[in-house]
Amino acid sequence: QVRLVESGGGSVEAGGSLRLSCKVSGYSVRKNCLGWFRQAPGKQREGVGIFDSGGKANYATSVKGRFTISRDNAKNTLYLQMNSLQPEDTGMYYCAARRAACTVVPGFLPLEGAYNYWGHGTQVTVSS
């Protein structure tokens, strides 16, 4: 049974920071095929930061340079460090894992349909 549990969301002012955690069970983060997605009200869920099979981090253009994904193999936990947050970053943030190998084309992040396991999400709200 694969479980992903996000935590760390909250409300911050523009320019602030948050660190999200995703505790993973039944799936090793060393497989690499994990990532963070977000969904704003009325919009599609989109990839934010994704690890490919080789462990390379890939980011949406809108967050590049501000967000960083990382993992702790011993804790089997995935992280998303978010700095310089903007109101446009507001949304529900989810971590996800893919059962099969993953390949990420630079500039084109995988869609949510490529992932098999999802957490319930944690809300991030950024005020101006």
Side-chain angles (χ1 to χ4, degrees):
Q1 297 179 354
V2 178
R3 289 191 65 202
L4 300 91
V5 181
E6 304 96 336
S7 62
S11 298
V12 298
E13 295 184 347
S17 299
L18 284 173
R19 182 178 175 86
L20 307 184
S21 299
C22 175
K23 184 175 176 59
V24 181
S25 301
Y27 183 102
S28 174
V29 299
R30 295 207 285 178
K31 288 187 67 176
N32 292 327
C33 294
L34 300 102
W36 289 93
F37 289 74
R38 69 184 181 188
Q39 187 168 22
K43 296 193 175 182
Q44 292 185 329
R45 193 172 299 182
E46 63 177 353
V48 176
I50 304 291
F51 280 120
D52 66 14
S53 294
K56 180 182 178 181
N58 302 270
Y59 301 95
T61 301
S62 59
V63 308
K64 194 173 299 182
R66 300 188 296 118
F67 290 12
T68 304
I69 58 173
S70 61
R71 64 186 180 185
D72 186 321
N73 293 337
K75 295 182 177 180
N76 213 41
T77 300
L78 181 71
Y79 300 97
L80 176 64
Q81 178 67 47
M82 303 183 293
N83 298 324
S84 301
L85 283 162
Q86 301 298 315
E88 298 78 42
D89 297 315
T90 294
M92 186 72 73
Y93 283 69
Y94 303 86
C95 61
R98 178 174 166 83
R99 189 163 52 231
C102 49
T103 300
V104 179
V105 177
F108 183 65
L109 297 186
L111 301 177
E112 63 176 305
Y115 291 81
N116 308 104
Y117 310 109
W118 294 85
H120 292 304
T122 184
Q123 179 68 35
V124 172
T125 302
V126 185
S127 60
S128 59

